[in-house]
Amino acid sequence: MSSSYSGWLVALSLAVAVLASYTALDLSGRIYLLTHRGMRHAWLAVGAAAMGIGIWSMHFIGMLALSLAPFGAPLGSHANLALGYDPVITAASLGIAVVISWAALWLVARERFTKRRLVTAGVTLGLGIAAMHYTGMAAMKMYPSIEYDPARFAASILIAMAAATAALWIARTLRDGSLRYVMAKRIGAAGVMGLAITAMHYTGMSAANFMPGAICGAAGGVSSPWLVTTVSLFTFLMLVTTLLVSRLDARTSFLANSVLQLNSQIARMATYDALTDLPNRRALHDSAARMLVNSRRDERRFAVLFMDLDGFKTINDSLGHNVGDDVLRAFAKRLRKNVNGDDVVARLGGDEFVVLLGSLSSPAVAGRVAQRLLDDMRDGLRVGNQSLHVMPSIGIAVFPDDGDTIDMLLKHADTAMYEAKRAGRGIFRYFEPRMNAAAQRTWEIQQALHDAEHEQYFSLHFQPKYRGDTEALAGAEALLRLSHPTFGELQPADFIPVAERTGQIVPIGYWVVRATCRQIKEWDAAGLPPVKVAINLSPRQMAQSQLVENIVEIVREAGIAADRLMFEITETVAMFDAQHTIDVIQAFHEQGFEVAIDDFGTGYSSLAYLQRFRVKQLKMDRFFTSGLDTCGREGSAVVSAIIALAHSLDMDVVAEGVETPSQREALKTLDCDELQGFLLGKPVTGDAFARILSALPGASGAAAMA
């Protein structure tokens, strides 16, 4: 039998194939973006029906384009073989198309889709398409049966599998609606897929051999003209409607998702720290509340680690807020690295961080985590092209031992953290009940400092310094004292660390400079011999960008000469940021002030930087002075080396803590320039020091009589 095809039906089959392909691509992207499970299932069903009918329609329209006539009879004549289709088999082929379409959409919409899964799915779907095609051919019920050319039959199946694999890959690639030019890309891809599907169909049709004298057993079934019209109209209507509804729903969903994303962003902004991307205080409380409920139910412990960064304020003030922000981000990453994924890491604000450790087998686990973090931090934080050594002080509170509420656990962990600071910084401490008394004491001292200047609780004492060779008065050191009506006389070791930690030391330091200047003016007005007074500078003060300018203004307003003051910087502070220290020392020198390095030998001085500091004095720590009595020859050798080093750099040496005659005599023998200690003179009030000055040669008569 001879065969021919209707050109317009062939074109119609291609159009349906392209439209069905575009619908499939659009629906695959639509279903993938859906988050509601019920909506995904609903659209899978709708999409499978639309896509299956589209592909099935393309194949049947392609078969309806076929005309058969006996050999020798002209095609298109009344001799053409009457064709029809068995309704049951036709419906079965449609069912196959819908099922394989559902499988295709389900696979494309899945999150994980490997290359292996892609090939497997493509082969399966290709076989399904081929099954649909050849089931549709069987619906004609030809007698004798249709024979198929093996090569072309195999080619049609291979084309179906290749087309299915390509279709899945393209759908997977284009499922993201955010891709640029996605509409144009889907149209182009739909054209390629439509041509592939059409090629598979007509390759399969070309493999069919209709035997001479064959008749269609289903000629009395569904007629071809009716089927062409019905299938064409229904398919186009179904596909277009599906597309319109999909686009409308996609638009609505896009707007809804945009609102949800915006709300999610707002919610995240409210619960996460913008700088470190860690949970903030609000989110921490929510997580802690859940952990508290779970721990009570399971009767398990959890720990709160409260920490802040020692020296962070100095970094922020001296190196800038940008560097400070980088330090906080780097520390946040270091924290995450040292805890488990189930633990909670949060930033409360500033340089304060909290870690919640859940399901502890024992309180010792929290200590091991804290120590691991401290050990890791000893390597420093890499910020830009520099390594900064910043250590946290950590306080630990354990549920239920140290509290049964979140607020209580946070308070006790905070208390333990301050105890760690008092104990030396860069360590961890577990909360103990006795710490509450210490914390209360710290708070009371902080309040006392707040009121001290206004209520005139502060005063200055002056400790004399004497020449090592002649024991003549060489100067004095101004020492701050605090006398409170409730607490009495507070030692500097009690209130200076509190002032440093809270930042109160900065205004207190300027008060010391003003008070020293006033005292010098009083001594001068009394006709007393001039004396140089040394003033200590704290780490917080050194970090102030306008330190020298502010001091110059105070001294200028007081009307005293700059050479009457010397400023002492501890060795540890000097070496924290050596270049900044060099700049500050140079600025002091340019204004006429002298500078000394205090507590020398207790830090980690670099001889290269010590040479660059070019200070007037090295104040040797009292540890070395006491070693003259306790360490014998070794102690003397160390002190001798320090003095020789200083003299080689044109620096004078001041020995602190001279308390025994043997120490004094040893230091004089070793050519120590100045001596300071209780043996020679204790700190005294300004009036008492005036009496010391009045006894000196050169004091006016009135001053000497006083």
Side-chain angles (χ1 to χ4, degrees):
M1 299 189 74
S2 59
S3 61
S4 66
Y5 291 92
S6 171
W8 74 273
L9 287 176
V10 172
L12 180 62
S13 66
L14 176 61
V16 170
V18 173
L19 184 59
S21 298
Y22 184 84
T23 303
L25 291 172
D26 186 79
L27 286 174
S28 67
R30 170 80 187 116
I31 295 169
Y32 171 73
L33 294 174
L34 292 173
T35 57
H36 190 274
R37 187 174 181 180
M39 291 296 295
R40 287 174 68 93
H41 287 313
W43 272 106
L44 269 174
V46 173
M51 183 179 168
I53 291 173
I55 297 175
W56 176 84
S57 299
M58 178 269 148
H59 282 272
F60 259 92
I61 292 172
M63 287 193 296
L64 294 171
L66 175 67
S67 296
L68 295 175
F71 285 111
L75 294 172
S77 69
H78 64 278
N80 284 358
L81 185 66
L83 299 176
Y85 301 93
D86 181 88
V88 176
I89 300 177
T90 301
S93 67
L94 175 61
I96 294 173
V98 172
V99 169
I100 65 171
S101 296
W102 184 92
L105 291 174
W106 180 79
L107 286 168
V108 172
R110 289 178 64 86
E111 192 67 32
R112 291 181 56 84
F113 197 63
T114 62
K115 291 182 179 180
R116 182 177 180 181
R117 186 171 291 178
L118 170 65
V119 174
T120 302
V123 171
T124 303
L125 292 175
L127 292 174
I129 293 172
M132 177 204 67
H133 172 79
Y134 289 106
T135 300
M137 294 287 287
M140 299 172 67
K141 290 189 174 182
M142 298 298 295
Y143 299 101
S145 300
I146 303 172
E147 294 182 357
Y148 293 96
D149 179 80
R152 295 185 180 184
F153 178 82
S156 69
I157 295 176
L158 291 175
I159 292 173
M161 292 189 294
T165 303
L168 289 175
W169 179 80
I170 294 172
R172 185 72 177 183
T173 304
L174 299 178
R175 71 180 187 179
D176 187 357
S178 64
L179 289 174
R180 194 179 184 186
Y181 308 124
V182 66
M183 185 71 72
K185 291 179 180 179
R186 281 182 180 170
I187 293 174
V192 174
M193 287 173 59
L195 286 172
I197 295 170
T198 305
M200 177 269 156
H201 168 79
Y202 288 107
T203 301
M205 293 292 287
S206 69
N209 293 317
F210 296 91
M211 298 295 100
I215 61 172
C216 179
V222 183
S223 66
S224 295
W226 181 89
L227 193 58
V228 168
T229 304
T230 302
V231 168
S232 300
L233 292 176
F234 179 76
T235 300
F236 272 101
L237 181 62
M238 178 74 178
L239 293 176
V240 171
T241 302
T242 302
L243 276 175
L244 290 176
V245 173
S246 174
R247 301 316 303 167
L248 180 62
D249 188 65
R251 189 70 173 176
T252 304
S253 297
F254 174 78
L255 296 174
N257 287 334
S258 297
V259 174
L260 288 174
Q261 290 177 3
L262 181 60
N263 290 336
S264 177
Q265 290 175 358
I266 294 173
R268 184 173 180 83
M269 290 173 62
T271 56
Y272 275 77
D273 175 56
L275 179 65
T276 62
D277 199 34
L278 293 177
N280 60 14
R281 184 184 296 271
R282 177 179 175 182
L284 172 68
H285 274 269
D286 292 341
S287 298
R290 290 191 296 271
M291 190 172 291
L292 187 66
V293 171
N294 295 334
S295 297
R296 283 173 174 167
R297 181 194 62 211
D298 301 334
E299 297 183 352
R300 298 181 69 91
R301 289 184 171 94
F302 74 90
V304 177
L305 276 62
F306 200 111
M307 63 194 75
D308 78 3
L309 298 177
D310 301 324
F312 175 75
K313 175 67 175 174
T314 303
I315 292 176
N316 227 17
D317 292 341
S318 60
L319 302 180
H321 290 282
N322 290 335
V323 175
D325 289 346
D326 290 340
V327 168
L328 294 176
R329 281 190 286 264
F331 181 68
K333 292 180 180 178
R334 194 70 60 88
L335 270 179
R336 289 195 192 100
K337 188 185 77 172
N338 283 279
V339 300
N340 296 324
D342 296 335
D343 300 326
V344 178
V345 180
R347 180 190 177 209
L348 297 188
D351 60 339
E352 291 184 337
F353 294 82
V354 170
V355 175
L356 301 179
L357 301 178
S359 301
L360 300 182
S361 57
S362 71
V365 175
R368 288 196 291 269
V369 173
Q371 190 59 55
R372 184 170 67 239
L373 173 63
L374 292 171
D375 293 340
D376 193 13
M377 289 295 294
R378 300 193 196 283
D379 297 332
L381 292 175
R382 194 69 186 175
V383 178
N385 57 359
Q386 59 185 329
S387 180
L388 298 178
H389 292 273
V390 185
M391 293 294 292
S393 293
I394 306 174
I396 303 174
V398 180
F399 170 86
D401 310 57
D402 303 323
D404 57 359
T405 67
I406 300 304
D407 291 338
M408 184 66 69
L409 289 167
L410 286 171
K411 177 185 176 183
H412 286 168
D414 186 25
T415 299
M417 183 268 292
Y418 279 113
E419 183 66 21
K421 287 185 175 293
R422 283 191 290 269
R425 301 174 179 264
I427 58 177
F428 73 89
R429 286 288 184 268
Y430 285 95
F431 172 77
E432 298 176 14
R434 64 171 181 82
M435 294 179 182
N436 276 329
Q440 179 65 24
R441 175 75 169 175
T442 298
W443 183 85
E444 292 173 346
I445 291 175
Q446 185 177 339
Q447 293 301 115
L449 290 172
H450 185 269
D451 301 331
E453 183 174 355
H454 181 265
E455 299 295 337
Q456 298 183 348
Y457 297 156
F458 286 134
S459 64
L460 288 182
H461 281 49
F462 300 88
Q463 186 174 22
K465 298 189 294 183
Y466 294 91
R467 295 290 306 171
D469 50 0
T470 64
E471 295 190 9
L473 184 68
E477 180 179 359
L479 301 171
L480 184 64
R481 296 291 186 264
L482 174 60
S483 180
H484 194 270
T486 302
F487 308 131
E489 296 288 337
L490 291 174
Q491 296 298 312
D494 293 328
F495 66 85
I496 293 296
V498 177
E500 182 72 23
R501 188 166 60 247
T502 61
Q504 294 170 295
I505 194 67
V506 174
I508 292 174
Y510 290 134
W511 182 91
V512 171
V513 176
R514 285 191 293 269
T516 301
C517 291
R518 286 196 300 268
Q519 187 62 74
I520 292 174
K521 290 282 290 184
E522 290 180 11
W523 292 337
D524 291 346
L528 298 172
V531 63
K532 188 184 296 291
V533 181
I535 298 173
N536 294 284
L537 295 177
S538 77
R540 284 282 184 102
Q541 287 178 279
M542 284 292 294
Q544 299 297 307
S545 59
Q546 299 296 316
L547 172 66
V548 178
E549 291 84 348
N550 292 338
I551 289 176
V552 168
E553 183 65 25
I554 293 171
V555 173
R556 184 180 291 115
E557 289 179 358
I560 68 169
D563 61 3
R564 301 292 297 277
L565 296 177
M566 174 183 286
F567 292 96
E568 297 184 0
I569 306 169
T570 66
E571 181 186 29
T572 302
V573 172
M575 290 303 302
F576 179 79
D577 186 354
Q579 186 55 54
H580 175 70
T581 300
I582 293 171
D583 295 339
V584 171
I585 292 173
Q586 184 178 352
F588 273 125
H589 286 166
E590 291 173 353
Q591 297 296 331
F593 301 106
E594 291 183 348
V595 179
I597 298 295
D598 197 10
D599 298 336
F600 180 77
T602 60
Y604 47 92
S605 283
S606 164
L607 295 182
Y609 277 110
L610 190 61
Q611 185 178 15
R612 293 179 62 190
F613 287 158
R614 304 193 63 81
V615 296
K616 174 66 175 176
Q617 289 182 347
L618 287 185
K619 295 193 71 174
M620 186 170 57
D621 189 76
R622 63 182 62 247
F623 170 82
F624 300 102
T625 303
S626 65
L628 293 171
D629 286 342
T630 60
C631 299
R633 293 178 57 187
E634 291 82 359
S636 296
V638 172
V639 172
S640 177
I642 293 174
I643 294 173
L645 170 65
H647 288 171
S648 68
L649 297 174
D650 295 325
M651 301 176 185
D652 295 337
V653 178
V654 181
E656 295 183 296
V658 181
E659 297 181 354
T660 66
S662 60
Q663 292 171 358
R664 178 180 61 189
E665 294 306 314
L667 289 166
K668 291 173 68 174
T669 302
L670 295 172
D671 294 328
C672 186
D673 300 285
E674 295 181 11
L675 310 179
Q676 182 180 354
F678 282 6
L679 176 69
L680 305 171
K682 296 181 179 181
V684 296
T685 65
D687 292 340
F689 196 83
R691 289 191 287 272
I692 296 174
L693 293 174
S694 66
L696 298 177
S700 68
M705 291 177 58

